[in-house]
Amino acid sequence: MDAASNPLDDPAADPFEVARDAAARIAELTGVDRHDVALTLGSGWGAAADLIGETTATVPAGEVPGFSASGVAGHSGTLRSILLPSGARALVIGARTHFYEGHGVRRVVHSVRTAAATGARVMVLTNGAGGIKEHWTPGTPVLISDHINLTAASPLEGATFIDLTDLYSRRLRELARGIDPALDEGVYVQFRGPHYETPAEVQMAKAIGGHIVGMSTALEAIAARQAGMEILGFSLITNLAAGISPDPLSHAEVLAAGKAAEPVIGALLAKVVAAL
Ligand code: 8IG
């Protein structure tokens, strides 16, 4: 399905109806009627898919209504159905649409709404991000405890007032720390991107209570909460945020840090998913 035919680009479309259509197509293509948990795997987290269970179906995202194949290096454009050792089914989303791509918030949160429509009650959101705490060396996974949304956008339309207290479930964070007691946590600040922050913007993020800077997860978490899912958020710190380290940021270095951390964080995520 090319971008021009994406049903979400029609302003008159109901995004929840498109999500239900997408879930029906996923059921058809995977042979799995209902998924229990969904995971979005961001930069560095891709290896987890192979560690959490047996992949029973892989679907190119472009075959599912509302999705488009991702154009960003390091983001694979597939949806996978995985049978967990417990017998539960996981939907793994390897096709994230970022806000900076400019296709609108409906496209950004479509994967989350689709996950909810497949039946998932837990949404695991992962990303690669910049760290503001100096002791977070590249390759450190951290739990997201809360977020600050600096995109000036929302996936909610109209007078839809949704409570975001405990958005990143305390219960799930404690469960994750039960598996790795060394896991630190922090407040995720979503910028619009795609440029990285200036050092002054990173100091602002720090001053307002942020610890992690990224370009993806906050908008998705809001949509997941609207859909009634319980949310677990993980950032892989692939770089220190601009100005925290004296070195400039490069996308190649970010990808390399993610690659190096893959086996460790993949194993961590597999254990967490097994315990959900
Ligand atoms: I990977 O330093 C990655 N994603 N905004 N800032 C922002 N997003 C990021 C960064 C970063 N590193």
Side-chain angles (χ1 to χ4, degrees), residues 43 127-131 188-197 202 212-216 236-242 249 251 254-255:
S43 312
N127 59 57
Y188 179 91
V189 182
Q190 181 173 354
F191 284 84
R192 185 190 178 286
H195 50 270
Y196 294 120
E197 296 70 38
V202 169
I212 306 162
V213 285
M215 304 178 193
S216 63
L236 173 69
I237 304 302
T238 54
N239 58 278
L240 285 178
L249 274 55
H251 190 57
V254 161
L255 291 180

Side-chain angles (χ1 to χ4, degrees), residues 47-197:
D50 291 321
L51 299 173
I52 64 176
E54 177 203 343
T55 297
T56 61
T58 302
V59 175
E63 290 185 17
V64 179
F67 284 81
S68 47
S70 172
V72 183
H75 298 268
S76 74
T78 63
L79 303 169
R80 290 165 70 166
S81 183
I82 296 185
L83 176 60
L84 303 181
S86 64
R89 301 281 180 167
L91 181 69
V92 171
I93 300 155
R96 179 175 254 152
T97 297
H98 289 87
F99 189 53
Y100 57 69
E101 292 173 57
H103 300 303
V105 191
R106 285 180 169 193
R107 289 269 291 270
V108 169
V109 301
H110 180 60
S111 60
V112 165
R113 288 180 173 153
T114 297
T118 68
R121 308 303 308 151
V122 172
M123 186 75 228
V124 182
L125 296 170
T126 68
N127 59 57
I132 294 180
K133 294 191 188 180
E134 281 158 54
H135 63 275
W136 286 346
T137 51
T140 304
V142 298
L143 286 164
I144 300 174
S145 58
D146 201 346
H147 80 221
I148 297 172
N149 172 12
L150 294 187
T151 65
S154 171
L156 310 183
E157 299 177 31
T160 310
F161 304 110
I162 303 273
D163 175 49
L164 300 183
T165 308
D166 198 33
L167 181 59
Y168 299 89
S169 162
R170 184 173 297 279
R171 183 185 82 82
L172 294 180
R173 278 184 278 143
E174 281 169 7
L175 181 146
R177 264 197 299 270
I179 285 156
D180 180 0
L183 271 174
D184 205 351
E185 65 178 32
V187 173
Y188 179 91
V189 182
Q190 181 173 354
F191 284 84
R192 185 190 178 286
H195 50 270
Y196 294 120
E197 296 70 38

